PDB file of all heavy atoms in Angstrom:
ATOM      1  N   THR A  18       4.039   7.836   2.089  1.00 98.00           N
ATOM      2  CA  THR A  18       2.865   8.735   2.040  1.00 98.00           C
ATOM      3  C   THR A  18       3.014   9.901   3.005  1.00 98.00           C
ATOM      4  O   THR A  18       2.610  11.019   2.638  1.00 98.00           O
ATOM      5  CB  THR A  18       1.604   7.890   2.288  1.00 98.00           C
ATOM      6  OG1 THR A  18       1.548   6.851   1.317  1.00 98.00           O
ATOM      7  CG2 THR A  18       0.322   8.727   2.176  1.00 98.00           C
ATOM      8  N   LEU A  19       3.526   9.614   4.155  1.00 98.00           N
ATOM      9  CA  LEU A  19       3.743  10.705   5.143  1.00 98.00           C
ATOM     10  C   LEU A  19       4.658  11.791   4.519  1.00 98.00           C
ATOM     11  O   LEU A  19       4.359  12.991   4.699  1.00 98.00           O
ATOM     12  CB  LEU A  19       4.371  10.205   6.450  1.00 98.00           C
ATOM     13  CG  LEU A  19       3.567   9.175   7.283  1.00 98.00           C
ATOM     14  CD1 LEU A  19       4.359   8.823   8.521  1.00 98.00           C
ATOM     15  CD2 LEU A  19       2.231   9.798   7.680  1.00 98.00           C
ATOM     16  N   VAL A  20       5.687  11.377   3.863  1.00 98.00           N
ATOM     17  CA  VAL A  20       6.584  12.403   3.221  1.00 98.00           C
ATOM     18  C   VAL A  20       5.819  13.287   2.334  1.00 98.00           C
ATOM     19  O   VAL A  20       5.894  14.504   2.403  1.00 98.00           O
ATOM     20  CB  VAL A  20       7.756  11.681   2.507  1.00 98.00           C
ATOM     21  CG1 VAL A  20       8.515  12.718   1.639  1.00 98.00           C
ATOM     22  CG2 VAL A  20       8.731  11.003   3.482  1.00 98.00           C
ATOM     23  N   CYS A  21       4.964  12.681   1.455  1.00 98.00           N
ATOM     24  CA  CYS A  21       4.178  13.463   0.487  1.00 98.00           C
ATOM     25  C   CYS A  21       3.187  14.364   1.200  1.00 98.00           C
ATOM     26  O   CYS A  21       2.972  15.511   0.811  1.00 98.00           O
ATOM     27  CB  CYS A  21       3.460  12.572  -0.500  1.00 98.00           C
ATOM     28  SG  CYS A  21       4.583  11.797  -1.665  1.00 98.00           S
ATOM     29  N   LEU A  22       2.516  13.833   2.234  1.00 98.00           N
ATOM     30  CA  LEU A  22       1.511  14.632   2.957  1.00 98.00           C
ATOM     31  C   LEU A  22       2.177  15.828   3.592  1.00 98.00           C
ATOM     32  O   LEU A  22       1.650  16.969   3.531  1.00 98.00           O
ATOM     33  CB  LEU A  22       0.856  13.737   4.038  1.00 98.00           C
ATOM     34  CG  LEU A  22      -0.218  12.771   3.538  1.00 98.00           C
ATOM     35  CD1 LEU A  22      -0.568  11.801   4.681  1.00 98.00           C
ATOM     36  CD2 LEU A  22      -1.487  13.482   3.055  1.00 98.00           C
ATOM     37  N   LEU A  23       3.306  15.574   4.278  1.00 98.00           N
ATOM     38  CA  LEU A  23       3.986  16.690   4.954  1.00 98.00           C
ATOM     39  C   LEU A  23       4.495  17.719   3.966  1.00 98.00           C
ATOM     40  O   LEU A  23       4.381  18.926   4.172  1.00 98.00           O
ATOM     41  CB  LEU A  23       5.155  16.153   5.811  1.00 98.00           C
ATOM     42  CG  LEU A  23       4.703  15.318   7.061  1.00 98.00           C
ATOM     43  CD1 LEU A  23       5.865  14.566   7.665  1.00 98.00           C
ATOM     44  CD2 LEU A  23       3.984  16.150   8.051  1.00 98.00           C
ATOM     45  N   GLU A  24       5.056  17.220   2.823  1.00 98.00           N
ATOM     46  CA  GLU A  24       5.577  18.180   1.840  1.00 98.00           C
ATOM     47  C   GLU A  24       4.457  18.982   1.195  1.00 98.00           C
ATOM     48  O   GLU A  24       4.666  20.097   0.744  1.00 98.00           O
ATOM     49  CB  GLU A  24       6.359  17.416   0.716  1.00 98.00           C
ATOM     50  CG  GLU A  24       7.769  16.950   1.274  1.00 98.00           C
ATOM     51  CD  GLU A  24       8.511  16.076   0.305  1.00 98.00           C
ATOM     52  OE1 GLU A  24       7.951  15.586  -0.676  1.00 98.00           O
ATOM     53  OE2 GLU A  24       9.731  15.898   0.564  1.00 98.00           O
ATOM     54  N   ALA A  25       3.225  18.422   1.204  1.00 97.00           N
ATOM     55  CA  ALA A  25       2.025  19.132   0.667  1.00 97.00           C
ATOM     56  C   ALA A  25       1.497  20.055   1.717  1.00 97.00           C
ATOM     57  O   ALA A  25       0.439  20.727   1.423  1.00 97.00           O
ATOM     58  CB  ALA A  25       1.024  18.163   0.115  1.00 97.00           C
ATOM     59  N   GLY A  26       1.995  20.050   2.924  1.00 97.00           N
ATOM     60  CA  GLY A  26       1.496  21.018   3.948  1.00 97.00           C
ATOM     61  C   GLY A  26       0.454  20.452   4.883  1.00 97.00           C
ATOM     62  O   GLY A  26      -0.174  21.238   5.620  1.00 97.00           O
ATOM     63  N   HIS A  27       0.183  19.154   4.818  1.00 97.00           N
ATOM     64  CA  HIS A  27      -0.847  18.588   5.674  1.00 97.00           C
ATOM     65  C   HIS A  27      -0.304  18.361   7.103  1.00 97.00           C
ATOM     66  O   HIS A  27       0.853  18.013   7.282  1.00 97.00           O
ATOM     67  CB  HIS A  27      -1.344  17.266   5.152  1.00 97.00           C
ATOM     68  CG  HIS A  27      -2.217  17.372   3.921  1.00 97.00           C
ATOM     69  ND1 HIS A  27      -3.508  17.845   4.017  1.00 97.00           N
ATOM     70  CD2 HIS A  27      -2.015  17.109   2.641  1.00 97.00           C
ATOM     71  CE1 HIS A  27      -4.061  17.856   2.811  1.00 97.00           C
ATOM     72  NE2 HIS A  27      -3.166  17.432   1.934  1.00 97.00           N
ATOM     73  N   ARG A  28      -1.220  18.496   8.091  1.00 98.00           N
ATOM     74  CA  ARG A  28      -0.899  18.159   9.456  1.00 98.00           C
ATOM     75  C   ARG A  28      -1.314  16.710   9.653  1.00 98.00           C
ATOM     76  O   ARG A  28      -2.381  16.309   9.173  1.00 98.00           O
ATOM     77  CB  ARG A  28      -1.641  19.031  10.402  1.00 98.00           C
ATOM     78  CG  ARG A  28      -1.289  18.879  11.820  1.00 98.00           C
ATOM     79  CD  ARG A  28      -2.174  19.744  12.741  1.00 98.00           C
ATOM     80  NE  ARG A  28      -1.634  19.703  14.041  1.00 98.00           N
ATOM     81  CZ  ARG A  28      -1.860  18.691  14.907  1.00 98.00           C
ATOM     82  NH1 ARG A  28      -2.548  17.675  14.550  1.00 98.00           N
ATOM     83  NH2 ARG A  28      -1.276  18.735  16.120  1.00 98.00           N
ATOM     84  N   ILE A  29      -0.479  15.903  10.293  1.00 98.00           N
ATOM     85  CA  ILE A  29      -0.806  14.475  10.415  1.00 98.00           C
ATOM     86  C   ILE A  29      -0.717  13.971  11.887  1.00 98.00           C
ATOM     87  O   ILE A  29      -0.094  14.609  12.741  1.00 98.00           O
ATOM     88  CB  ILE A  29       0.172  13.620   9.587  1.00 98.00           C
ATOM     89  CG1 ILE A  29       1.618  13.909   9.986  1.00 98.00           C
ATOM     90  CG2 ILE A  29      -0.059  13.836   8.083  1.00 98.00           C
ATOM     91  CD1 ILE A  29       2.630  12.914   9.417  1.00 98.00           C
ATOM     92  N   LEU A  30      -1.387  12.883  12.135  1.00 98.00           N
ATOM     93  CA  LEU A  30      -1.186  12.127  13.367  1.00 98.00           C
ATOM     94  C   LEU A  30      -1.130  10.624  12.980  1.00 98.00           C
ATOM     95  O   LEU A  30      -2.062  10.147  12.313  1.00 98.00           O
ATOM     96  CB  LEU A  30      -2.333  12.394  14.371  1.00 98.00           C
ATOM     97  CG  LEU A  30      -2.253  11.574  15.646  1.00 98.00           C
ATOM     98  CD1 LEU A  30      -1.014  11.815  16.452  1.00 98.00           C
ATOM     99  CD2 LEU A  30      -3.477  11.870  16.570  1.00 98.00           C
ATOM    100  N   VAL A  31      -0.111   9.946  13.398  1.00 98.00           N
ATOM    101  CA  VAL A  31       0.047   8.579  12.995  1.00 98.00           C
ATOM    102  C   VAL A  31      -0.299   7.625  14.181  1.00 98.00           C
ATOM    103  O   VAL A  31       0.025   7.876  15.273  1.00 98.00           O
ATOM    104  CB  VAL A  31       1.581   8.274  12.598  1.00 98.00           C
ATOM    105  CG1 VAL A  31       1.819   6.819  12.413  1.00 98.00           C
ATOM    106  CG2 VAL A  31       1.946   9.101  11.411  1.00 98.00           C
ATOM    107  N   LEU A  32      -1.032   6.549  13.785  1.00 98.00           N
ATOM    108  CA  LEU A  32      -1.276   5.489  14.726  1.00 98.00           C
ATOM    109  C   LEU A  32      -0.651   4.237  14.189  1.00 98.00           C
ATOM    110  O   LEU A  32      -0.898   3.840  13.015  1.00 98.00           O
ATOM    111  CB  LEU A  32      -2.751   5.219  14.907  1.00 98.00           C
ATOM    112  CG  LEU A  32      -3.043   4.000  15.816  1.00 98.00           C
ATOM    113  CD1 LEU A  32      -2.927   4.367  17.305  1.00 98.00           C
ATOM    114  CD2 LEU A  32      -4.368   3.362  15.528  1.00 98.00           C
ATOM    115  N   ASP A  33       0.173   3.545  14.939  1.00 98.00           N
ATOM    116  CA  ASP A  33       0.786   2.285  14.504  1.00 98.00           C
ATOM    117  C   ASP A  33       1.118   1.476  15.733  1.00 98.00           C
ATOM    118  O   ASP A  33       1.555   2.017  16.761  1.00 98.00           O
ATOM    119  CB  ASP A  33       2.080   2.589  13.690  1.00 98.00           C
ATOM    120  CG  ASP A  33       2.396   1.408  12.700  1.00 98.00           C
ATOM    121  OD1 ASP A  33       2.646   0.305  13.204  1.00 98.00           O
ATOM    122  OD2 ASP A  33       2.411   1.626  11.477  1.00 98.00           O
ATOM    123  N   ASP A  34       0.948   0.130  15.625  1.00 98.00           N
ATOM    124  CA  ASP A  34       1.366  -0.687  16.810  1.00 98.00           C
ATOM    125  C   ASP A  34       2.792  -1.241  16.611  1.00 98.00           C
ATOM    126  O   ASP A  34       3.241  -1.958  17.475  1.00 98.00           O
ATOM    127  CB  ASP A  34       0.356  -1.849  17.016  1.00 98.00           C
ATOM    128  CG  ASP A  34       0.345  -2.884  15.895  1.00 98.00           C
ATOM    129  OD1 ASP A  34       1.059  -2.657  14.861  1.00 98.00           O
ATOM    130  OD2 ASP A  34      -0.388  -3.832  16.012  1.00 98.00           O
ATOM    131  N   PHE A  35       3.406  -0.857  15.486  1.00 97.00           N
ATOM    132  CA  PHE A  35       4.798  -1.273  15.185  1.00 97.00           C
ATOM    133  C   PHE A  35       4.942  -2.807  15.116  1.00 97.00           C
ATOM    134  O   PHE A  35       6.043  -3.342  15.348  1.00 97.00           O
ATOM    135  CB  PHE A  35       5.779  -0.654  16.185  1.00 97.00           C
ATOM    136  CG  PHE A  35       5.750   0.877  16.174  1.00 97.00           C
ATOM    137  CD1 PHE A  35       5.431   1.592  17.334  1.00 97.00           C
ATOM    138  CD2 PHE A  35       5.961   1.554  14.970  1.00 97.00           C
ATOM    139  CE1 PHE A  35       5.396   2.948  17.234  1.00 97.00           C
ATOM    140  CE2 PHE A  35       5.936   2.950  14.946  1.00 97.00           C
ATOM    141  CZ  PHE A  35       5.624   3.680  16.092  1.00 97.00           C
ATOM    142  N   SER A  36       3.861  -3.519  14.832  1.00 97.00           N
ATOM    143  CA  SER A  36       3.934  -4.975  14.690  1.00 97.00           C
ATOM    144  C   SER A  36       4.753  -5.342  13.465  1.00 97.00           C
ATOM    145  O   SER A  36       5.344  -6.410  13.403  1.00 97.00           O
ATOM    146  CB  SER A  36       2.590  -5.590  14.645  1.00 97.00           C
ATOM    147  OG  SER A  36       1.796  -5.013  13.632  1.00 97.00           O
ATOM    148  N   ASN A  37       4.761  -4.412  12.467  1.00 96.00           N
ATOM    149  CA  ASN A  37       5.560  -4.712  11.254  1.00 96.00           C
ATOM    150  C   ASN A  37       6.380  -3.503  10.823  1.00 96.00           C
ATOM    151  O   ASN A  37       6.557  -3.263   9.649  1.00 96.00           O
ATOM    152  CB  ASN A  37       4.625  -5.195  10.098  1.00 96.00           C
ATOM    153  CG  ASN A  37       5.413  -5.840   9.003  1.00 96.00           C
ATOM    154  OD1 ASN A  37       6.391  -6.597   9.245  1.00 96.00           O
ATOM    155  ND2 ASN A  37       4.989  -5.688   7.768  1.00 96.00           N
ATOM    156  N   SER A  38       6.814  -2.715  11.803  1.00 96.00           N
ATOM    157  CA  SER A  38       7.549  -1.506  11.506  1.00 96.00           C
ATOM    158  C   SER A  38       8.219  -1.042  12.763  1.00 96.00           C
ATOM    159  O   SER A  38       8.183  -1.749  13.836  1.00 96.00           O
ATOM    160  CB  SER A  38       6.601  -0.446  11.001  1.00 96.00           C
ATOM    161  OG  SER A  38       5.582  -0.185  11.907  1.00 96.00           O
ATOM    162  N   SER A  39       8.830   0.120  12.761  1.00 96.00           N
ATOM    163  CA  SER A  39       9.471   0.635  13.965  1.00 96.00           C
ATOM    164  C   SER A  39       9.436   2.172  13.994  1.00 96.00           C
ATOM    165  O   SER A  39       9.305   2.803  12.914  1.00 96.00           O
ATOM    166  CB  SER A  39      10.902   0.196  14.031  1.00 96.00           C
ATOM    167  OG  SER A  39      11.694   0.982  13.180  1.00 96.00           O
ATOM    168  N   PRO A  40       9.555   2.778  15.183  1.00 97.00           N
ATOM    169  CA  PRO A  40       9.526   4.240  15.278  1.00 97.00           C
ATOM    170  C   PRO A  40      10.700   4.824  14.483  1.00 97.00           C
ATOM    171  O   PRO A  40      10.630   5.991  14.064  1.00 97.00           O
ATOM    172  CB  PRO A  40       9.715   4.519  16.758  1.00 97.00           C
ATOM    173  CG  PRO A  40       9.255   3.234  17.444  1.00 97.00           C
ATOM    174  CD  PRO A  40       9.576   2.133  16.529  1.00 97.00           C
ATOM    175  N   GLN A  41      11.735   4.038  14.218  1.00 97.00           N
ATOM    176  CA  GLN A  41      12.881   4.508  13.470  1.00 97.00           C
ATOM    177  C   GLN A  41      12.477   4.989  12.108  1.00 97.00           C
ATOM    178  O   GLN A  41      13.054   5.935  11.546  1.00 97.00           O
ATOM    179  CB  GLN A  41      13.929   3.368  13.420  1.00 97.00           C
ATOM    180  CG  GLN A  41      15.262   3.766  12.854  1.00 97.00           C
ATOM    181  CD  GLN A  41      15.920   4.887  13.593  1.00 97.00           C
ATOM    182  OE1 GLN A  41      15.788   5.011  14.785  1.00 97.00           O
ATOM    183  NE2 GLN A  41      16.667   5.712  12.858  1.00 97.00           N
ATOM    184  N   ALA A  42      11.506   4.290  11.520  1.00 98.00           N
ATOM    185  CA  ALA A  42      11.028   4.674  10.184  1.00 98.00           C
ATOM    186  C   ALA A  42      10.405   6.061  10.211  1.00 98.00           C
ATOM    187  O   ALA A  42      10.605   6.850   9.267  1.00 98.00           O
ATOM    188  CB  ALA A  42       9.968   3.619   9.711  1.00 98.00           C
ATOM    189  N   LEU A  43       9.724   6.392  11.323  1.00 98.00           N
ATOM    190  CA  LEU A  43       9.114   7.753  11.417  1.00 98.00           C
ATOM    191  C   LEU A  43      10.214   8.807  11.600  1.00 98.00           C
ATOM    192  O   LEU A  43      10.126   9.911  11.117  1.00 98.00           O
ATOM    193  CB  LEU A  43       8.133   7.754  12.581  1.00 98.00           C
ATOM    194  CG  LEU A  43       6.913   6.820  12.377  1.00 98.00           C
ATOM    195  CD1 LEU A  43       6.001   6.842  13.598  1.00 98.00           C
ATOM    196  CD2 LEU A  43       6.150   7.154  11.131  1.00 98.00           C
ATOM    197  N   ALA A  44      11.293   8.387  12.333  1.00 98.00           N
ATOM    198  CA  ALA A  44      12.419   9.316  12.538  1.00 98.00           C
ATOM    199  C   ALA A  44      13.005   9.665  11.140  1.00 98.00           C
ATOM    200  O   ALA A  44      13.496  10.775  10.920  1.00 98.00           O
ATOM    201  CB  ALA A  44      13.471   8.660  13.475  1.00 98.00           C
ATOM    202  N   ARG A  45      13.070   8.673  10.293  1.00 98.00           N
ATOM    203  CA  ARG A  45      13.647   8.898   8.951  1.00 98.00           C
ATOM    204  C   ARG A  45      12.732   9.848   8.158  1.00 98.00           C
ATOM    205  O   ARG A  45      13.228  10.650   7.358  1.00 98.00           O
ATOM    206  CB  ARG A  45      13.788   7.583   8.166  1.00 98.00           C
ATOM    207  CG  ARG A  45      14.783   6.575   8.805  1.00 98.00           C
ATOM    208  CD  ARG A  45      16.179   6.862   8.385  1.00 98.00           C
ATOM    209  NE  ARG A  45      17.068   5.858   8.951  1.00 98.00           N
ATOM    210  CZ  ARG A  45      17.533   4.805   8.315  1.00 98.00           C
ATOM    211  NH1 ARG A  45      17.171   4.575   7.054  1.00 98.00           N
ATOM    212  NH2 ARG A  45      18.396   3.938   8.874  1.00 98.00           N
ATOM    213  N   VAL A  46      11.443   9.779   8.374  1.00 98.00           N
ATOM    214  CA  VAL A  46      10.512  10.746   7.701  1.00 98.00           C
ATOM    215  C   VAL A  46      10.791  12.114   8.182  1.00 98.00           C
ATOM    216  O   VAL A  46      10.840  13.104   7.415  1.00 98.00           O
ATOM    217  CB  VAL A  46       9.043  10.317   7.959  1.00 98.00           C
ATOM    218  CG1 VAL A  46       8.092  11.394   7.403  1.00 98.00           C
ATOM    219  CG2 VAL A  46       8.687   8.994   7.344  1.00 98.00           C
ATOM    220  N   GLU A  47      11.053  12.255   9.481  1.00 98.00           N
ATOM    221  CA  GLU A  47      11.393  13.583  10.037  1.00 98.00           C
ATOM    222  C   GLU A  47      12.666  14.096   9.439  1.00 98.00           C
ATOM    223  O   GLU A  47      12.801  15.264   9.053  1.00 98.00           O
ATOM    224  CB  GLU A  47      11.534  13.461  11.549  1.00 98.00           C
ATOM    225  CG  GLU A  47      10.224  13.185  12.290  1.00 98.00           C
ATOM    226  CD  GLU A  47      10.340  13.131  13.797  1.00 98.00           C
ATOM    227  OE1 GLU A  47      11.494  13.169  14.298  1.00 98.00           O
ATOM    228  OE2 GLU A  47       9.330  13.054  14.466  1.00 98.00           O
ATOM    229  N   GLU A  48      13.612  13.184   9.241  1.00 98.00           N
ATOM    230  CA  GLU A  48      14.914  13.572   8.688  1.00 98.00           C
ATOM    231  C   GLU A  48      14.765  14.061   7.226  1.00 98.00           C
ATOM    232  O   GLU A  48      15.301  15.061   6.834  1.00 98.00           O
ATOM    233  CB  GLU A  48      15.785  12.300   8.732  1.00 98.00           C
ATOM    234  CG  GLU A  48      17.201  12.501   8.256  1.00 98.00           C
ATOM    235  CD  GLU A  48      17.799  11.094   8.094  1.00 98.00           C
ATOM    236  OE1 GLU A  48      17.820  10.305   9.008  1.00 98.00           O
ATOM    237  OE2 GLU A  48      18.298  10.883   6.954  1.00 98.00           O
TER     238      GLU A  48
END
Side-chain angles (χ1 to χ4, degrees):
T18 302
L19 295 182
V20 168
C21 290
L22 284 169
L23 292 169
E24 285 175 346
H27 286 287
R28 187 184 189 282
I29 56 167
L30 176 60
V31 173
L32 175 82
D33 203 299
D34 67 356
F35 301 119
S36 54
N37 196 35
S38 57
S39 78
Q41 189 57 33
L43 299 177
R45 298 275 184 98
V46 173
E47 292 182 352
E48 183 194 305

